[in-house]
Amino acid sequence: RIFSSAVVAISTASLLLDSGSAFSSSSRRHHVRPSFALKAISASPESQLAQLASMTTLSIDSGDLKVIEDYAATGYITDATTNPLFVSQAGMSGDPTYLKLVEDAVKYALDQNLDEESETVSLAIDRLAVNLGFAISKIVKGYISTEVDPRLSFDTEASVERGERIIAMYEEMGVSKDRVLIKLAATWEGILAAEKLEAKGIQCNLTLIFGVVQAVACAQYNAHLISPFPGRVLDWHKMKEGRTEGVPPAEDEGVVAVQDMYNYFKTFDHDTICMPASWRPSRGAGYELDEILELAGTDRMTIPAPLLERLAASEEAVDRKLDVSTATYDGGEWGQGKLTEKEFRYLLNMDGCGTDKLAEGIRAFIGETLKLEAVILEKVRSMAPAAV
């Protein structure tokens, strides 16, 4: 676990200052390459970006290879995750770079001569994700996260098989498996899939984490990395309580949840990496960096380009808020060191935010996958050899 990281979630939601936001209705309205025009990236050694990078490994959340390249060149960004939907949509819009990724994926799947059309489409979707990851691997030096079909979120064995297939394709292309993280939803079945994959030397990124019970179970079952979403946790509490006013960052429920996850890992010697994603302004508009700065010192973060730009432009002091040397967790080990399925399901059920947001996230990811599947199916049929 020596890589410094810059995670790139390929999604139009990058423009909404929200990583992991396939949930956003805006992300579903845009079906072309992002038009966010970056200026030349400049960050002084005194910038908040530099200060934050000195205590937390920073990641970029962007769907544009040029944006990734520009930020990687600053020396502060080095990892990437991928979401093939955005690239597929961009490819359909006619951008030759992304169109080639889509067509190469479909050709690869067709060349396997699979029995069922649905199998060809499924393989093409996975290959597209790998093609994109391969392209990004030539820009960044660290991890590439590639997700398993979210429709498999409740099928452990199918998730393991899909993760192994993704890794095999990366290795065919010359990308070592120690650079790839298989991305899975943090359901009970996803957590068990991660445990099986990790035992085979395949590292995993457990996502859609909204509650401490999910994070604890991921760590107890040896997941390499988790992606909790503090911004989405804050959203849930604001809606539930009908709050219209902001709160101090230290009282932000999403911040508190991630702090608990980090402190639990360090207190009980878990190696699992805590990498929050999805950001909101705790105090409201104009304070977009609140959650980021309140979690300074966590293992890693993934941050979209507009927020990285704000960090680069500011030279206000960044104080470390999380530190392994001072981490303490108030309470004992959950499940006496390893939660059972019954304990996990009960505790998650009792966590309204975790239950609601996990279900919402999976539904949203499945909805986006169905859109991608329709695009790829059309491409498969148009590129398939004519029957003799």
Side-chain angles (χ1 to χ4, degrees):
R1 302 180 182 184
I2 58 174
F3 291 119
S4 55
S5 96
V7 175
V8 187
I10 306 303
S11 167
T12 53
S14 308
L15 309 181
L16 304 175
L17 312 187
D18 175 22
S19 61
S21 59
F23 318 132
S24 168
S25 59
S26 295
S27 72
R28 295 190 289 270
R29 291 197 301 268
H30 296 280
H31 300 291
V32 295
R33 189 180 184 187
S35 59
F36 177 65
L38 275 176
K39 304 185 289 291
I41 306 307
S42 176
S44 74
E46 293 76 30
S47 68
Q48 287 190 319
L49 184 61
Q51 294 178 67
L52 188 60
S54 71
M55 60 187 80
T56 290
T57 304
L58 300 182
S59 311
I60 183 170
D61 174 16
S62 172
D64 190 311
L65 293 174
K66 182 61 167 63
V67 172
I68 298 168
E69 185 175 3
D70 286 346
Y71 273 98
T74 67
Y76 301 122
I77 308 299
T78 57
D79 267 31
T81 66
T82 62
N83 177 335
L85 173 66
F86 172 75
V87 176
S88 174
Q89 293 171 335
M92 296 305 104
S93 74
D95 184 298
T97 299
Y98 298 99
L99 179 59
K100 186 176 187 305
L101 296 180
V102 175
E103 292 181 342
D104 284 353
V106 172
K107 182 178 185 303
Y108 173 87
L110 287 169
D111 286 347
Q112 308 311 306
N113 296 312
L114 300 174
D115 293 335
E116 300 293 334
E117 185 179 63
S118 61
E119 295 175 350
T120 301
V121 171
S122 174
L123 179 58
I125 290 173
D126 282 353
R127 185 66 178 197
L128 174 58
V130 173
N131 284 350
L132 176 60
F134 177 71
I136 296 174
S137 75
K138 295 186 287 187
I139 300 173
V140 301
K141 298 178 181 179
Y143 293 129
I144 311 148
S145 286
T146 299
E147 66 183 293
V148 166
D149 189 327
R151 291 172 292 186
L152 303 179
S153 295
F154 302 98
D155 189 329
T156 295
E157 294 307 319
S159 293
V160 170
E161 291 172 5
R162 193 63 65 88
E164 290 177 325
R165 182 167 82 176
I166 289 169
I167 290 295
M169 286 191 285
Y170 270 116
E171 291 186 325
E172 287 172 7
M173 301 176 80
V175 179
S176 173
K177 69 179 180 180
D178 64 3
R179 289 198 61 197
V180 181
L181 301 180
I182 296 300
K183 191 174 178 183
L184 300 157
T187 59
W188 177 253
E189 294 79 6
I191 292 167
L192 292 188
E195 181 186 38
K196 291 176 181 290
L197 289 166
E198 296 279 358
K200 299 180 180 188
I202 297 172
Q203 299 173 133
C204 297
N205 172 357
L206 274 293
T207 189
L208 296 179
I209 290 181
F210 305 97
V212 177
V213 63
Q214 291 175 282
V216 168
C218 289
Q220 291 178 342
Y221 285 81
N222 300 320
H224 182 73
L225 180 149
I226 66 164
S227 295
F229 291 177
R232 292 287 166 178
V233 174
L234 177 62
D235 287 347
W236 187 89
H237 284 276
K238 288 175 64 177
M239 180 172 294
K240 180 176 176 60
E241 298 172 17
R243 294 201 312 245
T244 57
E245 300 297 322
V247 296
E251 298 175 16
D252 179 320
E253 291 88 351
V255 167
V256 172
V258 174
Q259 289 172 338
D260 284 346
M261 296 172 197
Y262 175 91
N263 288 330
Y264 186 95
F265 291 177
K266 306 313 176 189
T267 298
F268 297 109
D269 297 322
H270 290 292
D271 293 332
T272 301
I273 294 165
C274 185
M275 187 194 71
S278 170
W279 308 102
R280 297 290 185 273
S282 304
R283 291 172 288 175
Y287 297 94
E288 282 72 22
L289 299 179
D290 274 355
E291 292 183 332
I292 292 172
L293 297 178
E294 196 63 26
L295 291 171
T298 190
D299 300 319
R300 303 174 189 266
M301 292 180 179
T302 175
I303 304 173
L307 295 184
L308 289 174
E309 189 172 10
R310 286 174 182 259
L311 289 165
S314 173
E315 294 188 356
E316 292 185 24
V318 175
D319 297 323
R320 177 184 284 273
K321 298 301 180 75
L322 295 174
D323 194 317
V324 64
S325 66
T326 58
T328 56
Y329 181 79
D330 295 330
E333 289 189 88
W334 291 42
Q336 296 181 322
K338 196 161 190 179
L339 290 163
T340 65
E341 178 180 356
K342 289 180 181 179
E343 289 171 325
F344 175 84
R345 293 193 187 282
Y346 174 79
L347 292 168
L348 180 58
N349 180 73
M350 298 305 292
D351 179 349
C353 177
T355 296
D356 292 350
K357 284 298 183 181
L358 175 61
E360 176 186 303
I362 292 172
R363 287 195 301 268
F365 282 145
I366 289 173
E368 299 293 355
T369 300
L370 291 172
K371 294 177 186 178
L372 172 59
E373 187 175 66
V375 171
I376 296 298
L377 175 59
E378 181 179 354
K379 201 69 176 174
V380 164
R381 290 175 175 173
S382 69
M383 291 177 61
V388 178

PDB file of all heavy atoms in Angstrom, residues 162-181:
ATOM      1  N   ARG A 162     -16.421 -11.455 -11.721  1.00  0.00           N
ATOM      2  CA  ARG A 162     -16.288 -10.248 -12.536  1.00  0.00           C
ATOM      3  C   ARG A 162     -15.008  -9.500 -12.178  1.00  0.00           C
ATOM      4  O   ARG A 162     -14.313  -8.988 -13.065  1.00  0.00           O
ATOM      5  CB  ARG A 162     -17.505  -9.348 -12.331  1.00  0.00           C
ATOM      6  CG  ARG A 162     -17.628  -8.229 -13.359  1.00  0.00           C
ATOM      7  CD  ARG A 162     -17.819  -8.780 -14.772  1.00  0.00           C
ATOM      8  NE  ARG A 162     -19.075  -9.486 -14.897  1.00  0.00           N
ATOM      9  CZ  ARG A 162     -20.229  -8.916 -15.220  1.00  0.00           C
ATOM     10  NH1 ARG A 162     -20.299  -7.618 -15.456  1.00  0.00           N
ATOM     11  NH2 ARG A 162     -21.309  -9.648 -15.333  1.00  0.00           N
ATOM     12  N   GLY A 163     -14.682  -9.448 -10.895  1.00  0.00           N
ATOM     13  CA  GLY A 163     -13.438  -8.797 -10.495  1.00  0.00           C
ATOM     14  C   GLY A 163     -12.229  -9.495 -11.081  1.00  0.00           C
ATOM     15  O   GLY A 163     -11.281  -8.850 -11.558  1.00  0.00           O
ATOM     16  N   GLU A 164     -12.244 -10.811 -11.072  1.00  0.00           N
ATOM     17  CA  GLU A 164     -11.128 -11.574 -11.651  1.00  0.00           C
ATOM     18  C   GLU A 164     -11.032 -11.331 -13.149  1.00  0.00           C
ATOM     19  O   GLU A 164      -9.925 -11.239 -13.702  1.00  0.00           O
ATOM     20  CB  GLU A 164     -11.324 -13.062 -11.361  1.00  0.00           C
ATOM     21  CG  GLU A 164     -11.135 -13.418  -9.894  1.00  0.00           C
ATOM     22  CD  GLU A 164     -11.411 -14.871  -9.602  1.00  0.00           C
ATOM     23  OE1 GLU A 164     -12.322 -15.450 -10.239  1.00  0.00           O
ATOM     24  OE2 GLU A 164     -10.726 -15.445  -8.732  1.00  0.00           O
ATOM     25  N   ARG A 165     -12.170 -11.232 -13.829  1.00  0.00           N
ATOM     26  CA  ARG A 165     -12.144 -10.968 -15.270  1.00  0.00           C
ATOM     27  C   ARG A 165     -11.542  -9.601 -15.570  1.00  0.00           C
ATOM     28  O   ARG A 165     -10.752  -9.454 -16.513  1.00  0.00           O
ATOM     29  CB  ARG A 165     -13.567 -11.069 -15.841  1.00  0.00           C
ATOM     30  CG  ARG A 165     -13.619 -10.865 -17.349  1.00  0.00           C
ATOM     31  CD  ARG A 165     -14.948 -11.276 -17.927  1.00  0.00           C
ATOM     32  NE  ARG A 165     -15.988 -10.258 -17.803  1.00  0.00           N
ATOM     33  CZ  ARG A 165     -17.205 -10.395 -18.320  1.00  0.00           C
ATOM     34  NH1 ARG A 165     -17.542 -11.511 -18.968  1.00  0.00           N
ATOM     35  NH2 ARG A 165     -18.106  -9.431 -18.184  1.00  0.00           N
ATOM     36  N   ILE A 166     -11.909  -8.616 -14.776  1.00  0.00           N
ATOM     37  CA  ILE A 166     -11.358  -7.275 -14.977  1.00  0.00           C
ATOM     38  C   ILE A 166      -9.844  -7.278 -14.782  1.00  0.00           C
ATOM     39  O   ILE A 166      -9.100  -6.715 -15.592  1.00  0.00           O
ATOM     40  CB  ILE A 166     -12.050  -6.282 -14.017  1.00  0.00           C
ATOM     41  CG1 ILE A 166     -13.503  -6.054 -14.460  1.00  0.00           C
ATOM     42  CG2 ILE A 166     -11.286  -4.958 -13.958  1.00  0.00           C
ATOM     43  CD1 ILE A 166     -14.346  -5.306 -13.442  1.00  0.00           C
ATOM     44  N   ILE A 167      -9.388  -7.923 -13.717  1.00  0.00           N
ATOM     45  CA  ILE A 167      -7.948  -7.999 -13.461  1.00  0.00           C
ATOM     46  C   ILE A 167      -7.232  -8.713 -14.590  1.00  0.00           C
ATOM     47  O   ILE A 167      -6.153  -8.287 -15.037  1.00  0.00           O
ATOM     48  CB  ILE A 167      -7.681  -8.702 -12.118  1.00  0.00           C
ATOM     49  CG1 ILE A 167      -8.110  -7.813 -10.944  1.00  0.00           C
ATOM     50  CG2 ILE A 167      -6.206  -9.091 -11.982  1.00  0.00           C
ATOM     51  CD1 ILE A 167      -7.320  -6.533 -10.791  1.00  0.00           C
ATOM     52  N   ALA A 168      -7.807  -9.805 -15.096  1.00  0.00           N
ATOM     53  CA  ALA A 168      -7.170 -10.559 -16.187  1.00  0.00           C
ATOM     54  C   ALA A 168      -7.000  -9.686 -17.424  1.00  0.00           C
ATOM     55  O   ALA A 168      -5.954  -9.741 -18.095  1.00  0.00           O
ATOM     56  CB  ALA A 168      -8.000 -11.797 -16.520  1.00  0.00           C
ATOM     57  N   MET A 169      -7.991  -8.856 -17.721  1.00  0.00           N
ATOM     58  CA  MET A 169      -7.877  -7.978 -18.893  1.00  0.00           C
ATOM     59  C   MET A 169      -6.799  -6.926 -18.685  1.00  0.00           C
ATOM     60  O   MET A 169      -6.052  -6.600 -19.614  1.00  0.00           O
ATOM     61  CB  MET A 169      -9.231  -7.342 -19.209  1.00  0.00           C
ATOM     62  CG  MET A 169     -10.216  -8.319 -19.831  1.00  0.00           C
ATOM     63  SD  MET A 169     -11.708  -7.515 -20.491  1.00  0.00           S
ATOM     64  CE  MET A 169     -12.595  -7.152 -18.972  1.00  0.00           C
ATOM     65  N   TYR A 170      -6.723  -6.384 -17.476  1.00  0.00           N
ATOM     66  CA  TYR A 170      -5.642  -5.426 -17.208  1.00  0.00           C
ATOM     67  C   TYR A 170      -4.282  -6.085 -17.402  1.00  0.00           C
ATOM     68  O   TYR A 170      -3.372  -5.495 -17.999  1.00  0.00           O
ATOM     69  CB  TYR A 170      -5.757  -4.884 -15.775  1.00  0.00           C
ATOM     70  CG  TYR A 170      -6.590  -3.641 -15.646  1.00  0.00           C
ATOM     71  CD1 TYR A 170      -7.785  -3.647 -14.914  1.00  0.00           C
ATOM     72  CD2 TYR A 170      -6.201  -2.441 -16.230  1.00  0.00           C
ATOM     73  CE1 TYR A 170      -8.552  -2.503 -14.775  1.00  0.00           C
ATOM     74  CE2 TYR A 170      -6.961  -1.295 -16.104  1.00  0.00           C
ATOM     75  CZ  TYR A 170      -8.136  -1.332 -15.376  1.00  0.00           C
ATOM     76  OH  TYR A 170      -8.895  -0.187 -15.250  1.00  0.00           O
ATOM     77  N   GLU A 171      -4.133  -7.291 -16.896  1.00  0.00           N
ATOM     78  CA  GLU A 171      -2.833  -7.965 -17.002  1.00  0.00           C
ATOM     79  C   GLU A 171      -2.496  -8.291 -18.450  1.00  0.00           C
ATOM     80  O   GLU A 171      -1.336  -8.242 -18.848  1.00  0.00           O
ATOM     81  CB  GLU A 171      -2.827  -9.216 -16.127  1.00  0.00           C
ATOM     82  CG  GLU A 171      -2.839  -8.867 -14.633  1.00  0.00           C
ATOM     83  CD  GLU A 171      -2.689 -10.072 -13.731  1.00  0.00           C
ATOM     84  OE1 GLU A 171      -3.214 -11.151 -14.091  1.00  0.00           O
ATOM     85  OE2 GLU A 171      -2.048  -9.934 -12.667  1.00  0.00           O
ATOM     86  N   GLU A 172      -3.519  -8.593 -19.268  1.00  0.00           N
ATOM     87  CA  GLU A 172      -3.291  -8.800 -20.699  1.00  0.00           C
ATOM     88  C   GLU A 172      -2.718  -7.547 -21.355  1.00  0.00           C
ATOM     89  O   GLU A 172      -1.961  -7.630 -22.320  1.00  0.00           O
ATOM     90  CB  GLU A 172      -4.605  -9.154 -21.397  1.00  0.00           C
ATOM     91  CG  GLU A 172      -5.135 -10.546 -21.113  1.00  0.00           C
ATOM     92  CD  GLU A 172      -6.521 -10.737 -21.693  1.00  0.00           C
ATOM     93  OE1 GLU A 172      -7.006  -9.824 -22.420  1.00  0.00           O
ATOM     94  OE2 GLU A 172      -7.143 -11.785 -21.431  1.00  0.00           O
ATOM     95  N   MET A 173      -3.086  -6.396 -20.825  1.00  0.00           N
ATOM     96  CA  MET A 173      -2.642  -5.120 -21.381  1.00  0.00           C
ATOM     97  C   MET A 173      -1.363  -4.620 -20.720  1.00  0.00           C
ATOM     98  O   MET A 173      -0.904  -3.519 -21.004  1.00  0.00           O
ATOM     99  CB  MET A 173      -3.759  -4.086 -21.252  1.00  0.00           C
ATOM    100  CG  MET A 173      -5.046  -4.497 -21.955  1.00  0.00           C
ATOM    101  SD  MET A 173      -6.419  -3.340 -21.715  1.00  0.00           S
ATOM    102  CE  MET A 173      -6.004  -2.064 -22.896  1.00  0.00           C
ATOM    103  N   GLY A 174      -0.819  -5.417 -19.809  1.00  0.00           N
ATOM    104  CA  GLY A 174       0.458  -5.062 -19.202  1.00  0.00           C
ATOM    105  C   GLY A 174       0.359  -4.229 -17.945  1.00  0.00           C
ATOM    106  O   GLY A 174       1.364  -3.677 -17.484  1.00  0.00           O
ATOM    107  N   VAL A 175      -0.848  -4.117 -17.356  1.00  0.00           N
ATOM    108  CA  VAL A 175      -1.024  -3.364 -16.124  1.00  0.00           C
ATOM    109  C   VAL A 175      -1.058  -4.362 -14.968  1.00  0.00           C
ATOM    110  O   VAL A 175      -1.925  -5.230 -14.913  1.00  0.00           O
ATOM    111  CB  VAL A 175      -2.320  -2.535 -16.131  1.00  0.00           C
ATOM    112  CG1 VAL A 175      -2.490  -1.786 -14.812  1.00  0.00           C
ATOM    113  CG2 VAL A 175      -2.317  -1.558 -17.307  1.00  0.00           C
ATOM    114  N   SER A 176      -0.118  -4.244 -14.057  1.00  0.00           N
ATOM    115  CA  SER A 176      -0.024  -5.169 -12.929  1.00  0.00           C
ATOM    116  C   SER A 176      -1.242  -5.032 -12.011  1.00  0.00           C
ATOM    117  O   SER A 176      -1.747  -3.927 -11.799  1.00  0.00           O
ATOM    118  CB  SER A 176       1.250  -4.895 -12.132  1.00  0.00           C
ATOM    119  OG  SER A 176       1.274  -5.664 -10.959  1.00  0.00           O
ATOM    120  N   LYS A 177      -1.688  -6.156 -11.448  1.00  0.00           N
ATOM    121  CA  LYS A 177      -2.864  -6.114 -10.591  1.00  0.00           C
ATOM    122  C   LYS A 177      -2.640  -5.288  -9.332  1.00  0.00           C
ATOM    123  O   LYS A 177      -3.609  -4.846  -8.702  1.00  0.00           O
ATOM    124  CB  LYS A 177      -3.313  -7.529 -10.225  1.00  0.00           C
ATOM    125  CG  LYS A 177      -2.397  -8.290  -9.298  1.00  0.00           C
ATOM    126  CD  LYS A 177      -2.972  -9.670  -8.988  1.00  0.00           C
ATOM    127  CE  LYS A 177      -2.084 -10.458  -8.056  1.00  0.00           C
ATOM    128  NZ  LYS A 177      -2.642 -11.802  -7.759  1.00  0.00           N
ATOM    129  N   ASP A 178      -1.394  -5.055  -8.949  1.00  0.00           N
ATOM    130  CA  ASP A 178      -1.171  -4.246  -7.748  1.00  0.00           C
ATOM    131  C   ASP A 178      -1.426  -2.767  -7.985  1.00  0.00           C
ATOM    132  O   ASP A 178      -1.369  -1.966  -7.058  1.00  0.00           O
ATOM    133  CB  ASP A 178       0.220  -4.481  -7.154  1.00  0.00           C
ATOM    134  CG  ASP A 178       1.352  -4.048  -8.068  1.00  0.00           C
ATOM    135  OD1 ASP A 178       1.080  -3.494  -9.157  1.00  0.00           O
ATOM    136  OD2 ASP A 178       2.515  -4.285  -7.698  1.00  0.00           O
ATOM    137  N   ARG A 179      -1.760  -2.409  -9.232  1.00  0.00           N
ATOM    138  CA  ARG A 179      -2.136  -1.029  -9.531  1.00  0.00           C
ATOM    139  C   ARG A 179      -3.643  -0.859  -9.667  1.00  0.00           C
ATOM    140  O   ARG A 179      -4.123   0.267  -9.860  1.00  0.00           O
ATOM    141  CB  ARG A 179      -1.472  -0.554 -10.834  1.00  0.00           C
ATOM    142  CG  ARG A 179       0.023  -0.325 -10.726  1.00  0.00           C
ATOM    143  CD  ARG A 179       0.501   0.525 -11.877  1.00  0.00           C
ATOM    144  NE  ARG A 179      -0.145   1.825 -11.879  1.00  0.00           N
ATOM    145  CZ  ARG A 179      -0.179   2.652 -12.928  1.00  0.00           C
ATOM    146  NH1 ARG A 179       0.377   2.298 -14.067  1.00  0.00           N
ATOM    147  NH2 ARG A 179      -0.768   3.819 -12.838  1.00  0.00           N
ATOM    148  N   VAL A 180      -4.380  -1.952  -9.590  1.00  0.00           N
ATOM    149  CA  VAL A 180      -5.818  -1.909  -9.848  1.00  0.00           C
ATOM    150  C   VAL A 180      -6.595  -2.188  -8.570  1.00  0.00           C
ATOM    151  O   VAL A 180      -6.282  -3.111  -7.823  1.00  0.00           O
ATOM    152  CB  VAL A 180      -6.208  -2.944 -10.923  1.00  0.00           C
ATOM    153  CG1 VAL A 180      -7.712  -2.878 -11.207  1.00  0.00           C
ATOM    154  CG2 VAL A 180      -5.405  -2.727 -12.206  1.00  0.00           C
ATOM    155  N   LEU A 181      -7.621  -1.377  -8.316  1.00  0.00           N
ATOM    156  CA  LEU A 181      -8.564  -1.629  -7.232  1.00  0.00           C
ATOM    157  C   LEU A 181      -9.913  -1.993  -7.846  1.00  0.00           C
ATOM    158  O   LEU A 181     -10.436  -1.256  -8.691  1.00  0.00           O
ATOM    159  CB  LEU A 181      -8.735  -0.392  -6.350  1.00  0.00           C
ATOM    160  CG  LEU A 181      -7.482   0.160  -5.665  1.00  0.00           C
ATOM    161  CD1 LEU A 181      -7.846   1.383  -4.826  1.00  0.00           C
ATOM    162  CD2 LEU A 181      -6.810  -0.900  -4.814  1.00  0.00           C
TER     163      LEU A 181
END
